[in-house]
Amino acid sequence: MTKDVIALTERMPDPLSVLAGLLSGGPDKLVGTAGDGAVVQLCDEEGRPLVSVEAPLLVQVAGEAERLLGAAAPPVPYWWTEARATTGVEEAERLAGTFAARLASLTGGFAWPPQAARSLAVVRTEGMNVAPAPAAAQPAVDVLTDKAAVVIMDRPVVAMTAWLSDAFRAAAEAGIGLQIVSPAGSTLSSAVRDSLPGWPSRWIVRDGRDGYYDGLTGAVLRWQEGMFAPIAGDGATAEDPRTPVAAAFKETADTGERQLAVTFRTVHPADDRLVLGGALESVWRELTGEPPAGWGTAEPANLPWSARRLTDVAHERAPEPTWIVVVGGPDRPGLATVRVGRTKAGVEEHITLAFGYGPGEELPLGALPRAAEVLATRHRLQSMLVQVRKARRDLAVPPRLEGPGVPVAFVLGAEEVRTMPGDRARRTPLSEPPLQLGPRTRPALYYPLPGDPSDLSGWQDFERLMRHLKGATAQDA
């Protein structure tokens, strides 16, 4: 049975409805709070949490329940309330299901997954063993060691939920890795993949043949010395560990689906009149003809798109950085992550964006120069890299080998072009000259690259271009 249960309801869960849900364990259970009151916990007699309930979230963006849960939802706007049961306690998992079922019955909606919320009856919880602190102190963390925080997520899509976002922060503050464990049938949101730090953080897949493996590299893993780590293969040495790759990871097929991935960076002067998100919206409109559908500080993205509201959130959090996820509509899958931070140069936006396309859909490659020019002339673009990759249209990351992206274009902002000595930026070793964007007196430069996802030689051209722009010689490389 899943450890996460979600109530999707037409009406906001009022205090009486939440109370009725919390009485699922009977009147003798204790209620506490965590996260400055944002999380309500149903506890045992010793105050240890059995079920943790996140504050209800008003979702105003269509398609998020379908994208993240594979489930239909009430018409937008609707309320999304998550309950997370303590790991390994069957009664706690039943209690979470009953809580969600009661909430859905009182506020008009249903619970996900359906099999977790079959009964409205009180769940008997006498004599159970509950996870001790410190793991129970962080609702998202199931196992905590001095090397890693382990989070178990039995969901169709491992998304950057508020729970998982809290676990990211807790692991970073503790200086340890974050290891996410999911079933073989789960996929990973690209928002999580793009945020996952390096070793020892991993996405770990439970597998019937190989036990556990890394969902992004395929390395077979075992629990060793307080964390999941690769095993050594036959004939391995300290210099050559020869880590075996899981058989399931290598089971791939070309479906004809493609993704267009755009990564870029802008820098703005710190100004009270600054509005963030305009660069992302401009690229989105140029490539799809529509603005983004919604955004949020976690998944599901719950707010209708608004650059002004996004700016307000970033301003309130300054000088701390802000992380934001942005999504498109169901007709054109699109997902972006935005990192906003203050530096000596000003206010920086680091944006990673991807759109998905089916076998019969044409990628808007012809719109890329115009999109780059808009960024360069209106949004203080520093640099931009565009790739095409063989990957799923729905943008979910499967626990299987996906081919690397191939560069389609690189763009250098006008200020970066201006500061390069001589004609270095214009005279490159590439066979095709760069395209000038913007005014002739202060142009940005667009460098076209092969962009064939079946031919990785485009990376050689990109590396040659980078070495040239940095002033490196062949001997330096």
Side-chain angles (χ1 to χ4, degrees):
M1 186 180 293
T2 184
K3 296 171 181 60
D4 294 344
V5 184
I6 301 169
L8 305 172
T9 61
E10 299 172 3
R11 299 186 299 278
M12 178 180 179
D14 58 84
L16 289 178
S17 300
V18 174
L19 179 60
L22 291 174
L23 288 173
S24 303
D28 57 329
K29 293 296 170 284
L30 306 177
V31 175
T33 61
D36 296 325
V39 176
V40 177
Q41 295 178 322
L42 191 60
C43 305
D44 67 3
E45 290 81 356
E46 297 183 16
R48 296 172 300 190
L50 303 172
V51 175
S52 301
V53 181
E54 187 82 12
L57 181 72
L58 180 63
V59 177
Q60 304 175 66
V61 181
E64 285 296 87
E66 292 82 356
R67 179 175 74 90
L68 299 177
L69 303 178
V76 292
Y78 61 89
W79 292 89
W80 179 303
T81 307
E82 296 209 12
R84 182 169 176 81
T86 296
T87 304
V89 181
E90 181 180 353
E91 292 88 345
E93 297 171 12
R94 291 170 51 210
L95 187 58
T98 301
F99 167 82
R102 287 188 172 192
L103 203 63
S105 68
L106 291 171
T107 54
F110 50 87
W112 176 93
Q115 65 272 20
R118 294 175 176 173
S119 173
L120 300 179
V122 170
V123 177
R124 298 301 176 188
T125 56
E126 289 82 7
M128 68 171 60
N129 294 317
V130 179
Q138 168 56 255
V141 175
D142 296 288
V143 179
L144 185 64
T145 73
D146 60 350
K147 294 183 179 178
V150 180
V151 177
I152 300 173
M153 297 190 74
D154 286 347
R155 300 166 76 133
V157 179
V158 177
M160 186 62 84
T161 63
W163 301 113
L164 190 57
S165 181
D166 288 342
F168 265 94
R169 282 192 294 271
E173 291 171 359
I176 59 178
L178 180 66
Q179 300 194 330
I180 306 167
V181 182
S182 70
S186 295
T187 60
L188 188 71
S189 167
S190 56
V192 178
R193 179 195 59 193
D194 296 341
S195 301
L196 198 64
W199 180 91
S201 298
R202 298 179 183 274
W203 173 36
I204 299 155
V205 180
R206 294 194 299 269
D207 179 59
R209 285 175 287 181
D210 291 296
Y212 297 91
Y213 69 91
D214 189 307
L216 298 179
T217 69
V220 177
L221 308 172
R222 294 292 182 270
W223 183 258
Q224 308 173 60
E225 300 179 355
M227 66 178 180
F228 284 97
I231 65 172
D234 295 336
T237 65
E239 293 75 22
D240 181 11
R242 299 186 183 182
T243 300
V245 175
F249 185 78
K250 296 183 284 187
E251 296 173 350
T252 62
D254 186 359
T255 62
E257 295 173 290
R258 298 290 185 271
Q259 291 179 12
L260 182 64
V262 185
T263 305
F264 61 96
R265 179 183 178 191
T266 64
V267 180
H268 313 275
D271 190 302
D272 291 340
R273 295 170 295 177
L274 173 64
V275 177
L276 300 168
L280 175 61
E281 180 175 344
S282 295
V283 171
W284 209 296
R285 287 183 180 275
E286 292 293 334
L287 298 182
T288 71
E290 301 287 342
W295 71 285
T297 55
E299 292 181 291
N302 65 309
L303 298 170
W305 174 250
S306 168
R308 174 59 65 183
R309 291 192 66 183
L310 184 155
T311 302
D312 291 341
V313 169
H315 182 75
E316 290 170 1
R317 296 186 175 188
E320 295 299 317
T322 298
W323 181 92
I324 289 165
V325 61
V326 182
V327 299
D331 294 338
R332 170 59 57 222
L335 190 144
T337 58
V338 183
R339 299 179 187 274
V340 180
R342 289 289 300 269
T343 68
K344 293 181 180 179
V347 180
E348 297 190 5
E349 291 180 285
H350 295 258
I351 298 172
T352 300
L353 166 65
F355 296 109
Y357 300 86
E361 297 177 308
E362 184 177 353
L363 277 67
L365 301 181
L368 290 173
R370 172 59 185 166
E373 185 168 38
V374 171
L375 288 178
T377 56
R378 302 179 189 175
H379 300 287
R380 298 178 179 269
L381 176 70
Q382 281 199 324
S383 62
M384 170 175 158
L385 176 64
V386 184
Q387 302 175 57
V388 173
R389 58 191 180 214
K390 297 179 180 180
R392 293 169 51 139
R393 183 182 187 272
D394 64 6
L395 306 178
V397 181
R400 296 186 298 276
L401 177 65
E402 285 191 312
V406 175
V408 173
F410 178 73
V411 184
L412 200 60
E415 181 62 19
E416 284 63 38
V417 171
R418 186 189 67 81
T419 56
M420 283 199 174
D423 285 339
R424 181 189 299 172
R426 294 174 177 80
R427 298 182 181 275
T428 74
L430 301 181
S431 59
E432 192 172 344
L435 174 66
Q436 290 195 170
L437 306 176
R440 292 183 179 181
T441 55
R442 198 172 182 274
L445 294 179
Y446 179 100
Y447 302 90
L449 296 162
D452 181 357
S454 301
D455 183 3
L456 298 181
S457 64
W459 283 114
Q460 298 176 2
D461 289 338
F462 179 73
E463 291 172 3
R464 289 168 58 209
L465 175 62
M466 291 299 101
R467 289 197 300 268
H468 171 80
L469 294 177
K470 293 176 182 178
T473 63
Q475 290 77 10
D476 296 330

Coordinates of all heavy atoms in Angstrom, one line a residue, residues 204-213 220-222:
I204 N 16.8 6.1 -6.9 CA 17.1 4.7 -6.7 C 15.8 3.9 -7.1 O 14.7 4.2 -6.5 CB 17.5 4.3 -5.3 CG1 18.8 5.1 -5.0 CG2 17.7 2.8 -5.1 CD1 19.1 5.3 -3.5
V205 N 15.9 2.9 -7.9 CA 14.7 2.2 -8.4 C 14.8 0.8 -7.8 O 15.8 0.1 -7.9 CB 14.7 2.1 -9.9 CG1 13.5 1.3 -10.5 CG2 14.7 3.6 -10.5
R206 N 13.7 0.3 -7.2 CA 13.6 -1.1 -6.8 C 13.3 -2.0 -8.0 O 12.4 -1.7 -8.8 CB 12.4 -1.2 -5.8 CG 12.7 -0.5 -4.5 CD 11.7 -1.0 -3.4 NE 10.3 -0.8 -3.7 CZ 9.6 0.3 -3.4 NH1 10.2 1.3 -2.7 NH2 8.4 0.5 -3.8
D207 N 14.1 -3.0 -8.1 CA 14.0 -3.9 -9.3 C 14.0 -5.3 -8.9 O 14.7 -5.8 -8.1 CB 15.2 -3.6 -10.2 CG 15.3 -4.4 -11.5 OD1 14.3 -4.3 -12.2 OD2 16.2 -5.2 -11.7
G208 N 13.1 -6.1 -9.6 CA 13.0 -7.5 -9.3 C 14.2 -8.4 -9.6 O 14.4 -9.4 -9.0
R209 N 14.9 -7.9 -10.6 CA 16.1 -8.7 -11.1 C 17.4 -8.4 -10.4 O 18.2 -9.2 -9.9 CB 16.3 -8.6 -12.6 CG 15.2 -9.4 -13.4 CD 15.4 -9.1 -14.9 NE 14.9 -7.8 -15.2 CZ 14.9 -7.3 -16.5 NH1 15.3 -8.1 -17.5 NH2 14.4 -6.1 -16.7
D210 N 17.7 -7.0 -10.3 CA 18.9 -6.6 -9.7 C 18.9 -6.0 -8.4 O 19.9 -5.5 -7.8 CB 19.6 -5.6 -10.7 CG 20.0 -6.3 -12.0 OD1 20.9 -7.1 -11.9 OD2 19.5 -6.0 -13.1
G211 N 17.7 -6.0 -7.8 CA 17.5 -5.4 -6.4 C 17.3 -3.9 -6.5 O 16.1 -3.5 -6.4
Y212 N 18.3 -3.1 -6.5 CA 18.2 -1.7 -6.6 C 19.2 -1.2 -7.7 O 20.3 -1.7 -7.8 CB 18.5 -1.0 -5.3 CG 17.6 -1.3 -4.2 CD1 17.8 -2.4 -3.4 CD2 16.4 -0.6 -4.0 CE1 16.9 -2.7 -2.3 CE2 15.5 -0.9 -3.0 CZ 15.8 -2.0 -2.1 OH 14.9 -2.3 -1.1
Y213 N 18.8 -0.1 -8.4 CA 19.8 0.5 -9.3 C 19.5 2.0 -9.4 O 18.4 2.5 -9.1 CB 19.8 -0.2 -10.7 CG 18.5 0.0 -11.5 CD1 18.5 1.1 -12.4 CD2 17.5 -0.9 -11.5 CE1 17.3 1.2 -13.3 CE2 16.4 -0.7 -12.3 CZ 16.3 0.4 -13.2 OH 15.2 0.5 -14.0
V220 N 24.1 -0.7 -10.6 CA 23.4 -1.6 -9.6 C 23.9 -1.2 -8.2 O 25.1 -0.9 -8.0 CB 23.8 -3.1 -9.8 CG1 23.2 -3.9 -8.7 CG2 23.2 -3.5 -11.2
L221 N 23.0 -1.0 -7.3 CA 23.3 -0.5 -5.9 C 23.0 -1.5 -4.8 O 22.1 -2.4 -5.0 CB 22.5 0.8 -5.7 CG 22.6 1.9 -6.8 CD1 21.6 3.0 -6.5 CD2 24.0 2.5 -6.9
R222 N 23.6 -1.3 -3.7 CA 23.3 -2.0 -2.5 C 23.4 -1.0 -1.3 O 24.1 -0.1 -1.4 CB 24.3 -3.2 -2.3 CG 24.2 -4.3 -3.3 CD 22.8 -5.1 -3.2 NE 22.8 -6.2 -4.2 CZ 22.3 -6.0 -5.4 NH1 21.9 -4.9 -5.8 NH2 22.3 -7.1 -6.2

